[in-house]
Amino acid sequence: MTINERIRTLRKQKGLNQKEFGAKIGLKQSAASWIEQDGNAVTDQNIRLISEAFGVNPAWLRTGEGKAQIDEEEAFIQRMIDRYQMEGLDATVIRAYLTLTREQRQTIREALQPLIDKCKGQTDGEAARQRAEREAEEEAVARFRAEYRARKQESSSTTPATPATAEAEKRA
């Protein structure tokens, strides 16, 4: 199967026509049609847009190898990297930070917070209030991640391996 066929299959699995598919990735219907035609080159930018919009592994799009769907956590990280235009070391730091234990992350936050506050020019009161808000948000994110991992673990034996089976199960 070619990259063009994988894109066409993905679009059909999502139940979208070419106009709807194109709109989700910022292309006109004619451009969406063009990238589905065998032999036409698909740009890296279009691969990235399709990957982000539909949670599809860009390596799978290019070669057909590996899992079609991206891990939800990796997709989240990739969206952050793209949104904040992070490169190289930024992305490495984000990924490494997320692999640390809660206690290790707390140690890093405590070490970095005075520097962050100084860069932002905040007063001690403002910094303390924002720190409390961030900690509450981090707690909520930690609970979400724990619940997500638990759900993922529960469904790992029944999780579909391809977008087609995932969509079929959603419709069932």
Side-chain angles (χ1 to χ4, degrees):
M1 182 181 285
T2 67
I3 186 172
N4 313 95
E5 292 169 324
R6 283 188 289 281
I7 292 170
R8 183 173 41 254
T9 300
L10 173 67
R11 175 184 59 80
K12 288 180 179 182
Q13 288 171 349
K14 298 295 181 182
L16 301 172
N17 62 37
Q18 289 176 337
K19 184 176 182 178
E20 295 165 331
F21 182 82
K24 288 196 176 280
I25 60 173
L27 297 178
K28 293 186 177 186
Q29 184 274 329
S30 58
S33 172
W34 191 86
I35 64 174
E36 288 186 2
Q37 294 175 21
D38 284 339
N40 288 342
V42 180
T43 66
D44 287 339
Q45 179 179 352
N46 285 337
I47 291 170
R48 183 182 55 79
L49 292 170
I50 292 168
S51 175
E52 289 173 8
F54 299 102
V56 176
N57 179 352
W60 175 82
L61 265 179
R62 285 185 177 92
T63 67
E65 295 177 15
K67 287 183 174 182
Q69 292 300 124
I70 295 178
D71 179 348
E72 193 172 316
E73 285 182 40
E74 180 56 30
F76 170 75
I77 293 168
Q78 192 58 51
R79 282 191 305 274
M80 281 181 41
I81 289 167
D82 292 341
R83 179 177 179 185
Y84 296 103
Q85 299 173 347
M86 296 182 205
E87 298 174 358
L89 184 58
D90 293 330
T92 301
V93 168
I94 294 295
R95 283 189 171 92
Y97 180 81
L98 294 174
T99 65
L100 300 174
T101 66
R102 186 178 184 152
E103 293 78 19
Q104 291 169 326
R105 290 193 309 267
Q106 179 65 30
T107 300
I108 289 175
R109 283 193 305 273
E110 289 170 0
L112 289 176
Q113 195 60 58
L115 179 60
I116 292 169
D117 295 343
K118 185 177 179 180
C119 289
K120 288 185 172 185
Q122 294 176 328
T123 66
D124 289 340
E126 290 173 318
R129 182 185 54 75
Q130 288 184 354
R131 213 174 2 262
E133 289 174 1
R134 275 192 305 275
E135 288 171 2
E137 186 176 328
E138 288 168 1
E139 282 286 327
V141 169
R143 282 193 305 276
F144 170 80
R145 289 173 63 107
E147 291 170 7
Y148 168 76
R149 286 187 179 120
R151 283 193 313 271
K152 189 174 178 181
Q153 194 171 27
E154 286 175 6
S155 66
S156 64
S157 61
T158 60
T159 300
T162 67
T165 54
E167 286 301 313
E169 281 201 6
K170 284 182 186 176
R171 284 181 251 153

